[in-house]
Amino acid sequence: MIDRRNLLGSGLALAAATGFPRRAFADADPPVTNPILVDKGRVWISATLNGKGPYPFIVDTGAVLSIIDIDFAKKAGLSATTGRPIAGVGGKVAYHSWYIAKEVRLTSGIRFQNTLFAGIAKRLSAEAVGTFGAGLFTTYDSDFDFAKGEWRAWIDGRPNFDGLTRLPSRFLRERGGQRLVVEASIDDFAGDFLIDTGAPGLSLTGRAADKSGLWDSDKPYAPTRAQGIGDGDGIPARIYRAGRLKMGRFVFENSLVKLNEPGTRSVGWQDGIIGLSTLSLLNLSTDVSEGALYATPNGRAEPKLGYPLSGLWIDEAKGHVVVSDVGIGSPAAQAGVRKGDVLRGGDLQAMIRAITGGPGKEVSLKIERGGAQQDMRYTLKPWF
């Protein structure tokens, strides 16, 4: 079993640019193989940059760009260069320098020169120094074998796709690279979804959330925030329980789906994202010449995603901690907490700590509504 410590200790390395150079240098026979690790909702791989490292990176096929933490890039001595602004979830734009690694090397024998990374100020994980974008998967015929924990690449093309199922998919060609899109449906809503190993779960954009009818339904939900690459605090979102996700011949039951609030800006035209909780149940392969994605079941156990058990989302407004959303059917809703209530007894961080926790935690709140105060109590538990 590979863990993150021996993944780094193995001295493995990988590089990605906004789009991988078609010309790579490999000293090994095809396919080139490197270990990957699925852990805590992320795909991990290690990399050396300019002969230093190895360092932990996340594989994020939902992004065209590969990114790097700007503080790390400066400390590592990478060369800064001017890059274009990056729009995050909700349309918040980040302006940071980009960085160049003169050489990125795989111990399996593949290496790249002058690899470009976009600089960001907010890490996707405290442990990762950056991410590698979709170019890892869309420049060469490649496999993500989540069962064996391997990324495999055929630099000169894969000989065949025998035994694999072709999904209704295509490459989305964009400035700087290309990503993968698959046709899928969530219950009665059908749309185009990004294949995104950088996202933990399933999600719909604000446009798709509106079209699907889920947002305005009376189904139970948990309020949350949608966040991603770029600056900003994200946008309002809700987590629902979907009945069925269908992707080609593959069907997944009772998946959690995050919906961005209708009217919020989405980056790109796609309807949503299929994230790692679903993707890790399949081994995935790309056919670059056809712009297609193949898959086969791998027998991995389905990861269990959760949601905030209070059913509250709170914000700070004019010096007060205010309830901005209460999930239908949630413990907080059943206790009588309403949108617009003011929480007394602590600042925002203290109140967040008070309402979060695992099943069985007792929550006691002092609510102010219409100038009057009252005490409310409830127990954290799943409700959908």
Side-chain angles (χ1 to χ4, degrees):
M1 174 66 70
I2 299 174
D3 60 22
R4 265 180 285 175
R5 177 176 295 179
N6 57 40
L7 184 73
L8 288 172
S10 66
L12 296 172
L14 164 77
T18 54
F20 269 66
R22 283 302 305 174
R23 176 59 176 162
F25 303 91
D27 300 327
D29 293 331
V32 175
T33 301
N34 284 272
I36 57 175
L37 172 69
V38 179
D39 183 47
K40 296 183 179 179
R42 302 290 191 185
V43 180
W44 297 87
I45 196 164
S46 64
T48 59
L49 308 178
N50 297 343
K52 299 178 181 178
Y55 305 109
F57 281 79
I58 293 167
V59 180
D60 182 7
T61 62
V64 176
L65 304 173
S66 294
I67 66 174
I68 201 159
D69 174 73
I70 55 176
D71 290 335
F72 168 80
K74 292 174 183 177
K75 292 177 182 177
L78 302 188
S79 301
T81 187
T82 302
R84 68 181 187 269
I86 301 174
V89 171
K92 180 73 174 181
V93 177
Y95 298 89
H96 301 294
S97 295
W98 290 24
Y99 295 87
I100 299 172
K102 293 181 179 179
E103 183 183 73
V104 185
R105 174 179 284 267
L106 295 162
T107 56
S108 57
I110 187 171
R111 56 195 186 275
F112 303 91
Q113 295 177 334
N114 298 321
T115 302
L116 184 64
F117 294 89
I120 64 167
K122 182 175 67 176
R123 292 189 178 192
L124 294 187
S125 167
E127 297 143 306
V129 301
T131 69
F132 295 124
L136 173 64
F137 203 37
T138 60
T139 303
Y140 317 105
D141 291 353
S142 299
D143 297 335
F144 279 155
D145 189 328
F146 298 115
K148 290 185 177 179
E150 292 179 351
W151 168 71
R152 298 186 292 265
W154 282 261
I155 303 302
D156 297 316
R158 182 182 182 130
N160 64 70
F161 292 84
D162 295 347
L164 304 179
T165 298
R166 182 167 177 166
L167 298 177
S169 56
R170 64 188 183 277
F171 280 17
L172 178 62
R173 302 185 186 280
E174 303 168 279
R175 179 181 177 185
Q178 51 194 5
R179 295 182 288 176
L180 273 162
V181 176
V182 66
E183 296 174 14
S185 62
I186 299 175
D187 296 337
D188 296 326
F189 175 78
D192 293 320
F193 291 77
L194 281 177
I195 296 297
D196 189 354
T197 59
L202 183 66
S203 67
L204 291 178
T205 65
R207 295 187 303 270
D210 188 28
K211 289 166 59 179
S212 72
L214 265 177
W215 186 274
D216 293 324
S217 72
D218 58 359
K219 292 185 65 173
Y221 72 86
T224 185
R225 283 293 188 273
Q227 296 179 309
I229 294 173
D231 293 343
D233 298 322
I235 55 178
R238 294 175 176 176
I239 298 173
Y240 291 82
R241 179 77 66 181
R244 171 174 292 187
L245 166 66
K246 189 172 186 297
M247 182 171 57
R249 73 174 184 85
F250 301 106
V251 177
F252 307 90
E253 304 285 354
N254 299 316
S255 299
L256 292 177
V257 55
K258 180 186 291 185
L259 276 64
N260 294 357
E261 183 178 48
T264 52
R265 178 180 174 183
S266 302
V267 179
W269 54 266
Q270 70 277 355
D271 296 298
I273 286 170
I274 297 177
L276 189 61
S277 60
T278 299
L279 299 177
S280 64
L281 305 180
L282 305 168
N283 289 342
L284 305 174
S285 301
T286 49
D287 181 351
V288 174
S289 64
E290 294 292 326
L293 178 67
Y294 289 76
T296 186
N298 59 23
R300 283 174 53 89
E302 182 176 358
K304 300 300 182 183
L305 296 182
Y307 53 87
L309 296 182
S310 236
L312 289 182
W313 191 269
I314 59 177
D315 289 299
E316 192 169 30
K318 297 180 180 180
H320 301 301
V321 180
V322 180
V323 176
S324 53
D325 197 5
V326 185
I328 292 175
S330 66
Q334 293 176 6
V337 182
R338 300 178 190 172
K339 184 177 178 179
D341 285 345
V342 176
L343 303 186
R344 298 298 188 186
D347 61 13
L348 179 62
Q349 294 304 315
M351 291 295 98
I352 290 174
R353 290 192 295 270
I355 65 173
T356 56
K361 178 181 175 179
E362 299 290 334
V363 176
S364 297
L365 299 176
K366 187 175 292 294
I367 300 292
E368 182 176 309
R369 183 188 303 160
Q373 293 189 4
Q374 55 184 308
D375 295 326
M376 292 186 178
R377 294 179 176 83
Y378 56 86
T379 303
L380 298 186
K381 62 178 181 179
W383 72 95
F384 64 90

